[in-house]
Every structure is written in structure tokens, then in C-alpha cells.
Amino acid sequence: AEDHAWFEDTMKTKVHHEPTSDSLILARLIAGAKMMIGNQSMPATLAVGIGTTLWIETRKNTPLDNNEILYPFKSNITYF
């Protein structure tokens, strides 16, 4: 919830927040989404595996090639 509040404040927009109780519910939610915006995390990895369009935050203290989640041949991922 803290990350959600930070995102809304930073992006100056309101985004629906849907708490999930387990990974299966989370995967179903991601599968039904048009796009996911996230950081390098388990939900982002789910989005990659499911094929959901993903905008992913990268670490700024290391080159992109050294980030934990890097899929250079996936066309549905944007890094920021």
C-alpha cells in the first residue's frame, strides 16, 4: 500500500489498488491486465511468464545488462 501511495503521488494519477491474498490470485489479476507497471519482483516475473505487457523499474546504480530482471528479446517489456 505504501508503494501504491508513492506511485500515485509521483505520477499524479489515481490507480486502482487490488490487494491479493496469494500468488494464484495475483497471477490471475496480472493475466487479466492490459499492462503492469512494477519493479524487479515476483509479480514482474509472473507478468513476464504470462506475457502481460510490462513496464519495469530498473536499478539506477548498475548498467541495465546487470539488472536482476532483463529480457532483451521480449518485445512487451519497457524498462524505465
Side-chain angles (χ1 to χ4, degrees):
E2 183 180 321
D3 289 344
H4 179 253
W6 174 87
F7 182 86
E8 286 188 336
D9 184 55
T10 301
M11 298 300 174
K12 306 295 184 231
T13 189
K14 292 290 183 189
V15 178
H16 177 73
H17 180 248
E18 185 71 36
T20 56
S21 58
D22 62 50
S23 297
L24 180 57
I25 294 171
L26 177 61
R28 288 177 175 156
L29 188 66
I30 292 170
K34 291 181 182 179
M35 180 173 103
M36 180 183 151
I37 301 171
N39 58 8
Q40 298 183 54
S41 60
M42 187 272 289
T45 303
L46 281 174
V48 170
I50 292 167
T52 301
T53 297
L54 175 64
W55 282 21
I56 188 164
E57 176 187 26
T58 58
R59 292 178 50 193
K60 306 301 185 254
N61 62 343
T62 188
L64 181 60
D65 290 350
N66 293 343
N67 274 252
E68 286 82 4
I69 295 181
L70 177 64
Y71 301 94
F73 304 110
K74 294 275 190 176
S75 61
N76 63 326
I77 301 175
T78 299
Y79 300 93
F80 69 95

